[in-house]
Amino acid sequence: MKKRIVLALGGNALGDGLAEQMQAVKTTVKAIADLIAAGHQVVVTHGNGPQVGMINQAFEAAAKADSHTPMLPMSVCVALSQGYIGYDLQNALREELLERGINKPVATLITQVAVNPADPAFLNPTKPIGSFFTKEEAERLMRNGHTLREDSGRGYRRVVASPKPQDIIEKETVRAMLEADQVVITVGGGGIPVLVEGNHLRGASAVIDKDWASAKLAEMIDADMLIILTAVEKVALNYGKPDVQWLDRLSPADAHRFIEEEHFAKGSMLPKVEAALAFAESKAGRQALITVLSKAREGIAGKTGTIICQ
């Protein structure tokens, strides 16, 4: 059965540096092309951790060297990362499809994601970004409106909020591209965080979790399946312990229970399970799959991975 799929790539699908990313996407697009060749409609989303950090640090270094050079807002850093990651992905995927005789347009969409200004995350920014600053440098930056915190005696770092996504601004464009039988790369790095102020969209000092943003996109374009890719083939209880238990299928009730019992690591598997659960519960018949990139096609067929569905 052909499906509309949102495929959320993990960090290992992109590599860290420029050269590593160009090499990594050559492998990544083969698995994406397999899904397209099988007849599925595919929307690709991705993270941007190393890439947005590199962009941010470059402009921080420029600001340190020249006081007239501004530090870029986080929203602009995310936009830049969407462009250059998308550039590599779309070219590599286009080439892979053409080599298979599939003539299908592939395009990257610079995507904004609305967040709630009243989200509690804005009251306590915790996501560290960029390089370290001295106390004097930090005080100057804080006077200019940036939030910095001391980091384990190593100096001061900027911190930003990580609010939940509320709306995908370009969702109609994504749907239109899909209806035109195009492959869309979108919501890169969780999307550019924006605050809706009347007709104006103002960039927010924040980063959005890409799995949560991917789940919101999948919901809003009426996808059949959300695939969240990670470094392990299945979700597990007691991960890394002798009594590890790999999970083939999770009901929403079991997923909620395991989350409450704190079975999943906060910095890695927890947001993936929570985002997958949110999509699976958004409408009857929707499924979320968590697995590794190389097993995505088998996971869709129910042969591996962890499926979360009602």
Side-chain angles (χ1 to χ4, degrees), residues 113-119 122 163-167 193-196 204 206 208:
V113 176
V115 296
N116 185 351
D119 191 301
F122 284 111
K164 290 290 192 297
Q166 301 296 310
D167 187 21
V194 295
L195 302 172
V196 180
I208 303 170

Side-chain angles (χ1 to χ4, degrees), residues 92-300:
L93 182 54
R94 174 184 177 275
E95 182 178 343
E96 179 67 26
L97 291 173
L98 288 174
E99 288 179 354
R100 298 184 187 205
I102 301 172
N103 190 1
K104 190 182 290 284
V106 184
T108 297
L109 180 64
I110 302 301
T111 316
Q112 302 170 98
V113 176
V115 296
N116 185 351
D119 191 301
F122 284 111
L123 299 176
N124 182 33
T126 58
K127 190 78 172 177
I129 59 168
S131 53
F132 292 94
F133 293 88
T134 65
K135 185 176 181 181
E136 292 73 23
E137 290 171 330
E139 288 173 347
R140 176 173 58 83
L141 290 170
M142 286 189 281
R143 285 195 296 270
N144 291 332
H146 297 284
T147 302
L148 288 90
R149 289 188 180 166
E150 202 282 326
D151 191 329
S152 306
R154 296 179 294 175
Y156 290 78
R157 292 183 78 187
R158 292 169 65 197
V159 290
V160 296
S162 185
K164 290 290 192 297
Q166 301 296 310
D167 187 21
I168 310 298
I169 302 299
E170 288 78 20
K171 56 187 178 292
E172 289 90 353
T173 306
V174 176
R175 282 198 293 260
M177 292 172 74
L178 285 174
E179 294 303 323
D181 200 29
Q182 300 184 28
V183 181
V184 192
I185 300 166
T186 185
V187 190
I192 303 165
V194 295
L195 302 172
V196 180
E197 299 174 343
N199 291 329
H200 178 62
L201 299 174
R202 178 167 62 89
S205 181
V207 292
I208 303 170
D209 181 89
K210 62 95 178 167
D211 294 318
W212 275 103
S214 300
K216 176 58 69 174
L217 173 69
E219 176 187 339
M220 302 192 89
I221 66 170
D222 197 25
D224 301 300
M225 177 173 275
L226 167 67
I227 303 178
I228 296 179
L229 300 171
T230 184
V232 292
E233 190 169 334
K234 298 180 182 181
V235 178
L237 304 181
N238 305 317
Y239 179 71
K241 299 177 181 178
D243 58 343
V244 62
Q245 180 183 347
W246 299 102
L247 303 172
D248 297 323
R249 198 173 188 90
L250 272 175
S251 68
D254 283 341
H256 279 294
R257 177 164 59 87
F258 293 148
I259 289 169
E260 290 171 4
E261 293 173 355
E262 300 184 349
H263 281 281
F264 309 122
K266 290 184 178 180
S268 56
M269 189 56 75
L270 178 61
K272 298 181 187 304
V273 173
E274 288 179 327
L277 175 60
F279 174 70
E281 290 187 314
S282 63
K283 184 179 178 181
R286 289 176 174 169
Q287 293 186 327
L289 168 68
I290 300 176
T291 192
V292 292
L293 177 64
S294 61
K295 299 288 185 179
R297 190 171 181 181
E298 293 175 53
I300 293 170

